[in-house]
Amino acid sequence: MIIKTNTEHLVDKIDFASYQERVNEIHDSIINKTGKGNDFLGWVNHPFDYDKEELKEIKKWAAYVRENYEVLVVCGIGGSYLGARAAIEAINGVVGKGKPEIIYMGQTFDPTYTSQCLEYLKDKKFAINVISKSGTTTETSVAFRLLKSLIEERDGIEFARKSIFATTDANKGALLTLCKQEGYVRFVLPDDIGGRYSVQTAVGLFPIACAGIDPEEILKGSTKAFEDAANPDLKTNECYKYAVTRFHMNTVVGKAVEMFITYVPSFVQIGEWWKQLMGESEGKEGKGLLPDSATFSTDLHSLGQFIQEGTPCFFETVLAIKNHRHSVLVPHDEANLDGLNYLEGRTLGSINDKAFEGTLAAHVEEGHNNNVVLEFEEMNPFNLGYLFYFFERACAMSSYLNGINPFNQPGVEVYKKNMFHLLGKPGF
Ligand code: PA5
């Protein structure tokens, strides 16, 4: 089992059997694609039921980018970049630039961030992966216009055309029109998959492959998670056990916030991806958990006090790694002025584990916080694919338990309309 949902550390115990019948019904509606928003359930089978020819193209062009460019700019927002970023940082780390270096634009209008990126790129050989399902997202479109003009003015239109890779809808949108006109290499986000469920499509897989991570491993890991979720029995289905825990904490125990905790700085972006998945899927009709995230032990020195003794509005979901990928030993120091020789020869991984155990006991036994621990084997592309799918399926299950359509985002449109009106966009 790649992820085990350990509910031993819940202060408020759950009678999982009482949820079984409802879970069985929802499970069937996911598999048979009859649930709310069922035209967006393409992600359910996508890890094995995908366009094999497109995956070959993804690998081919990713190899070309790796061979020929110093930097890849991933230009997208929300579901159009968070999954790729989560994967690239989780596998390749946050320190060291890699080749090609991956940077992210199209997720902000901030002129400082944007001009710093453009300044950085002006002497670099860079490729662009512009990603937008709608093809009209303003943050992404504005950044892409700036990037396109930088590369066209510096290297010429022909070179620019070979350096731009677009991921968008198969049939509609301004980006598609532009792609066709300019002849950019193009990948497709299928109609029946929304942005926040798209990391296993070209949206995530092309940048992931450009970063040197095997996209097939992500898909195989997601397929394994699909297989492991095939039997809805809550005694064995770790994914649904987590989903029921979320729902129960929210609607029965009365918690408003779920804190996603990791002890690994390179998983911070997994937390960002998870927040979008859960928040945008479930936060509707005055319902749902507010997803928040923290990295321990870093944030124990900022949020730790609140978590231990503050308003008890939350529960914690801890992603606990069993096997660390690297071994770093605490060295001997003859003088021992820092008093650390008691740790000499210990690995940082084992110390991190003790920080986790001590924190868990503090938060549960004295803070009386509910903790659900997701025991995760180890980080690699296969297991990451598993983790992505595990959370996608759990999100669908807990949203349906809440009576929510997990696949729309009507609230997101409100700020856009206001902004368009204020900016004088025709028709607004
Ligand atoms: O998950 C979602 O649907 C959203 O976060 C979108 O991915 C995001 O708004 C970007 O949209 P688009 O890909 O159309 O530019």
Side-chain angles (χ1 to χ4, degrees):
M1 196 57 73
I2 289 157
I3 299 180
K4 183 173 177 328
T5 302
N6 180 346
T7 55
E8 279 168 32
H9 307 283
L10 292 177
V11 177
D12 297 285
K13 300 296 176 199
I14 302 173
D15 174 14
F16 285 99
S18 67
Y19 286 100
Q20 191 63 64
E21 205 177 315
R22 183 79 188 105
V23 164
N24 291 349
E25 284 165 17
I26 295 172
H27 174 78
D28 289 345
S29 77
I30 293 173
I31 297 300
N32 302 326
K33 301 194 178 172
T34 53
K36 278 187 186 174
N38 57 353
D39 42 347
F40 278 98
L41 277 164
W43 58 272
V44 174
N45 298 341
H46 183 83
F48 46 90
D49 190 7
Y50 60 88
D51 180 344
K52 311 288 183 298
E53 286 309 309
E54 186 182 58
L55 186 66
K56 283 188 199 155
E57 288 294 296
I58 287 173
K59 286 173 137 185
K60 179 181 99 183
W61 288 110
Y64 173 79
V65 169
R66 287 178 63 69
E67 181 83 24
N68 291 288
Y69 293 90
E70 289 170 88
V71 179
L72 172 71
V73 186
V74 175
C75 186
I77 193 167
S80 286
Y81 93 107
L82 284 165
R85 186 168 188 175
I88 292 165
E89 293 196 6
I91 303 294
N92 290 355
V94 284
V95 182
K97 296 188 187 299
K99 186 188 173 298
E101 180 186 0
I102 315 280
I103 70 169
Y104 302 90
M105 291 184 70
Q107 83 286 29
T108 178
F109 291 122
D110 176 50
T112 304
Y113 180 82
T114 305
S115 63
Q116 285 172 345
C117 289
L118 295 173
E119 181 63 25
Y120 181 69
L121 289 168
K122 89 176 188 274
D123 306 320
K124 299 275 187 307
K125 194 173 178 199
F126 68 93
I128 305 163
N129 181 203
V130 54
I131 309 169
S132 178
K133 183 174 168 95
S134 63
T136 53
T137 300
T138 319
E139 289 84 345
T140 303
S141 306
V142 169
F144 179 57
R145 185 185 271 210
L146 287 162
L147 285 163
K148 180 171 172 291
S149 87
L150 175 65
I151 200 166
E152 283 180 353
E153 279 165 26
R154 192 188 66 182
D155 300 319
I157 290 191
E158 276 316 310
F159 184 85
R161 284 181 177 146
K162 284 195 218 120
S163 305
I164 295 171
F165 301 83
T167 309
T168 191
D169 191 271
N171 306 306
K172 58 182 184 301
L175 181 57
L176 178 67
T177 311
L178 187 64
C179 279
K180 284 185 176 161
Q181 187 175 307
E182 300 288 333
Y184 302 148
V185 170
R186 178 160 55 96
F187 305 115
V188 170
L189 172 50
D191 276 348
D192 55 356
I193 301 181
R196 57 192 174 277
Y197 293 82
S198 69
V199 61
Q200 294 98 336
T201 73
V203 168
L205 297 184
F206 181 62
I208 284 171
C210 288
I213 301 161
D214 185 352
E216 265 180 289
E217 284 297 297
I218 301 276
L219 290 164
K220 282 181 192 161
S222 293
T223 302
K224 172 80 173 121
F226 169 90
E227 289 163 1
D228 285 354
N231 182 342
D233 187 340
L234 286 164
K235 289 196 275 308
T236 51
N237 191 314
E238 303 294 324
C239 173
Y240 290 168
K241 199 170 165 190
Y242 167 58
V244 167
T245 302
R246 300 183 73 245
F247 175 71
H248 186 89
M249 285 296 134
N250 187 204
T251 61
V252 178
V253 182
K255 301 298 178 190
V257 180
E258 177 178 12
M259 294 204 63
F260 176 79
I261 309 291
T262 85
Y263 282 72
V264 184
S266 56
F267 296 178
V268 166
Q269 293 298 327
I270 294 182
E272 295 304 307
W273 171 85
W274 173 90
K275 280 194 277 196
Q276 191 220 354
L277 175 71
M278 297 301 184
E280 208 166 69
S281 299
E282 204 179 34
K284 288 161 207 168
E285 302 172 25
K287 297 186 194 172
L289 285 157
L290 171 68
D292 192 10
S293 63
T295 310
F296 291 170
S297 39
T298 316
D299 292 330
L300 289 174
H301 296 256
S302 64
L303 292 171
Q305 173 59 36
F306 188 97
I307 293 172
Q308 190 70 42
E309 297 179 347
T311 313
C313 57
F314 59 90
F315 72 99
E316 294 170 73
T317 295
V318 187
L319 185 66
I321 292 276
K322 273 190 166 166
N323 302 319
H324 303 281
R325 289 158 79 203
H326 298 97
S327 179
V328 180
L329 299 178
V330 178
H332 174 71
D333 185 302
E334 204 52 47
N336 194 29
L337 294 177
D338 53 12
L340 284 180
N341 275 358
Y342 79 101
L343 293 176
E344 180 189 333
R346 299 276 302 258
T347 63
L348 289 192
S350 73
I351 298 172
N352 216 14
D353 293 345
K354 294 300 164 207
F356 158 61
E357 286 169 32
T359 305
L360 186 65
H363 289 184
V364 175
E365 286 159 29
E366 291 179 44
H368 308 294
N369 292 330
N370 286 286
N371 271 239
V372 55
V373 179
L374 301 178
E375 295 168 359
F376 186 53
E377 214 49 54
E378 67 183 38
M379 181 51 77
N380 57 45
F382 182 92
N383 288 358
L384 180 60
Y386 191 100
L387 179 137
F388 281 140
Y389 193 90
F390 179 96
F391 282 133
E392 288 164 351
R393 183 68 88 88
C395 178
M397 174 55 73
S398 43
S399 301
Y400 280 148
L401 281 166
N402 237 326
I404 295 288
N405 172 359
F407 308 117
N408 61 4
Q409 53 282 329
V412 182
E413 300 309 315
V414 182
Y415 101 88
K416 292 186 192 168
K417 278 188 193 142
N418 290 349
M419 180 178 76
F420 292 152
H421 176 70
L422 293 166
L423 289 169
K425 183 172 177 172
F428 290 85

